[in-house]
Amino acid sequence: MTNSLRPNGPRRAPLPPAERSAEGAATPRSAPSQSSGVPSRPAGATAAAAAQPGRPRDAFFDNAKYLAIVLVAMGHAWEPLKGQSRVLEAAYMVVYAFHMPAFIIISGYFSRSFDMRADRLKRLVTGVAVPYVVFEVAYVLFKRWADDDPSLPVSLLDPWFLTWFLCALFIWRLTTPLWKLVRWPLPLAIAVAMLATTSPSIGDDLDLQRALQFLPFFVLGLCMKPEHFQLVRRREVRILSVPVFAAALVVSWWAVPRMNPGWFYHRDSAQELGVPWWVGPVMVLALLGCSLLLTACFFAWVPRRKMWFTTLGAGTLYGYLLHGFLVKGGDYWGWFDHKWLHRPLGEIFVTLVAGAAVTLLCTAPVRRVFRFAMEPSMEWAFKRDATELARERAKAPA
């Protein structure tokens, strides 16, 4: 209401313009910066932005991303070996139950501030869409050469191997404002995932089945607050997680000959997995519960303090996308065919090599080499922001 003695309202000193960080968010009063969980800048803040005074990176999340990417690489390295080892296949099922849900929850958590502002859309394009296109083409060309398959087509509509995550992340990010708008986002996301499993007609375009079935984890991350992560980092939760993981391994060992591991990939409908349609929604709920329980146990054991590998958490996109060439190359060139690798000591050796390789791929020298593909600036492709132009004109001498 207008003050009658002051027609234009009370006069106050104008607020200083909000300072913008390198990632585009107003630093004094903004929501948390965006980060994808796997990528460093592409789905979130750049390393430079994260290192700004007053905005330190949270060591817990960097540690979680690094440990999760190590599990991803180990799981992929186990694939050629697990057919002859029931123990390895049980461990594979346990890891696949929570490693991607953990990434996706972190992705959602750091997407809470995403909106349709121009600078954030630009970051979504340069940090998610461009790496998707680059690596989708690169993986196909690599398979043509390494697997002697020159007829393999390049299709940006059918994500191959690891690139599905970037495609799904692009979709999730674009729909973030919608999930922040609706009254009950998580139940709605679960309903969408349940319906997706009953729809084989969705097909493989953009790996939409995966995007929809993993959607509840992203929406859960959007709904989470810092205190929720504090709950799972308590000492009693850490102690309880040990028997939970042990029980999960026992159940997985029992389930190996009885359960189709395709359920953990979330890429097929129930009918495509050879069961009636109604099994799909039931499995969504069952796996959601198992995944959340194991993810909570995983978070409970993630160190809170800065470790030797904490800085590697900023480069998990590099480890994620680049280790696929090593895994696929090893498969194409017969590295996994040696009989001794299919014995316990060989399986341990492969596990250690996978962990070491993905660790090296997350390091700063590797990031500098491949930054052109994963963190391109692409200023030439976008119009200048009107606010920035106005500020530059204001600073220019008269």
Side-chain angles (χ1 to χ4, degrees):
M1 185 172 66
T2 303
N3 189 316
S4 59
L5 298 178
R6 296 180 180 176
N8 296 320
R11 296 183 181 276
R12 296 184 296 176
L15 292 173
E19 295 180 3
R20 302 268 169 188
S21 68
E23 59 188 284
T27 55
R29 297 177 294 276
S30 66
S33 63
Q34 302 171 55
S35 176
S36 74
V38 171
S40 50
R41 171 185 176 269
T46 62
Q52 289 182 27
R55 298 198 64 172
R57 295 183 70 98
D58 190 324
F60 170 79
F61 291 108
D62 279 336
N63 292 338
K65 290 192 292 180
Y66 167 75
L67 294 174
I69 198 63
V70 168
L71 291 174
V72 168
M74 289 178 176
H76 288 150
W78 291 343
E79 285 185 15
L81 307 177
K82 65 185 179 67
Q84 300 178 23
S85 172
R86 187 168 177 176
V87 173
L88 191 62
E89 189 138 3
Y92 178 88
M93 291 174 68
V94 171
V95 167
Y96 266 72
F98 74 88
H99 70 351
M100 287 312 299
F103 264 132
I104 296 168
I105 288 172
I106 295 174
S107 302
Y109 178 73
F110 283 101
S111 296
R112 294 175 300 161
S113 63
F114 182 84
D115 53 27
M116 295 299 178
R117 207 171 69 189
D119 59 332
R120 288 174 177 159
L121 288 174
K122 172 186 172 182
R123 241 183 0 265
L124 184 64
V125 171
T126 60
V128 179
V130 171
Y132 168 72
V133 172
V134 170
F135 278 87
E136 178 66 19
V137 174
Y139 270 120
V140 172
L141 296 179
F142 179 73
K143 180 173 172 58
R144 285 183 178 182
W145 168 69
D147 199 29
D148 194 19
D149 186 11
S151 62
L152 184 69
V154 175
S155 173
L156 299 181
L157 295 179
D158 187 9
W160 194 73
F161 195 32
L162 301 175
T163 56
W164 73 267
F165 179 78
L166 295 178
C167 188
L169 182 62
F170 189 86
I171 296 171
W172 295 332
R173 273 281 169 77
L174 282 181
T175 61
T176 293
L178 172 64
W179 299 112
K180 294 193 293 186
L181 177 66
V182 298
R183 191 182 296 272
W184 300 290
L186 186 55
L188 179 58
I190 294 173
V192 169
M194 294 170 68
L195 289 173
T197 62
T198 68
S199 307
S201 60
I202 290 177
D204 296 327
D205 288 352
L206 299 179
D207 234 345
L208 194 56
Q209 190 70 254
R210 266 178 167 166
L212 296 177
Q213 290 192 36
F214 275 114
L215 177 63
F217 299 105
F218 182 82
V219 175
L220 175 62
L222 287 175
C223 298
M224 293 184 71
K225 298 178 180 179
E227 52 266 30
H228 295 138
F229 288 97
Q230 294 295 335
L231 291 175
V232 299
R233 291 159 66 178
R234 295 180 298 178
R235 183 173 181 270
E236 53 268 32
V237 178
R238 190 178 299 113
I239 294 173
L240 287 173
S241 67
V242 175
V244 169
F245 268 122
L249 286 170
V250 172
V251 172
S252 296
W253 185 88
W254 173 87
V256 165
R258 298 174 174 86
M259 182 178 178
N260 187 341
W263 289 108
F264 293 99
Y265 305 143
H266 296 281
R267 66 186 178 199
D268 299 303
S269 65
Q271 296 91 323
E272 290 171 310
L273 292 174
V275 295
W277 68 269
W278 58 266
V279 177
V282 173
M283 289 299 292
V284 165
L285 294 176
L287 290 177
L288 179 64
C290 293
S291 297
L292 291 180
L293 178 62
L294 293 176
T295 300
C297 294
F298 168 70
F299 284 149
W301 278 96
V302 172
R304 309 177 193 180
R305 65 185 184 279
K306 190 171 183 179
M307 309 291 288
W308 66 267
F309 53 79
T310 300
T311 55
L312 301 178
T316 47
L317 173 64
Y318 296 81
Y320 178 77
L321 291 175
L322 294 174
H323 88 275
F325 292 102
L326 298 179
V327 173
K328 287 297 183 182
D331 194 21
Y332 299 150
W333 298 323
W335 293 353
F336 297 100
D337 295 339
H338 300 285
K339 291 184 179 180
W340 70 275
L341 292 178
H342 294 261
R343 298 168 185 160
L345 288 179
E347 293 165 357
I348 294 172
F349 173 77
V350 169
T351 302
L352 295 176
V353 169
V358 77
T359 297
L360 291 174
L361 293 175
C362 293
T363 57
V366 175
R367 299 206 300 265
R368 284 194 294 269
V369 171
F370 291 96
R371 184 166 288 128
F372 74 96
M374 301 187 197
E375 303 184 59
S377 60
M378 295 184 63
E379 295 296 335
W380 54 269
F382 299 96
K383 297 179 179 178
R384 294 290 303 276
D385 182 72
T387 304
E388 291 182 7
L389 291 174
R391 287 177 179 170
E392 288 180 5
R393 286 195 294 268
K395 292 179 181 178

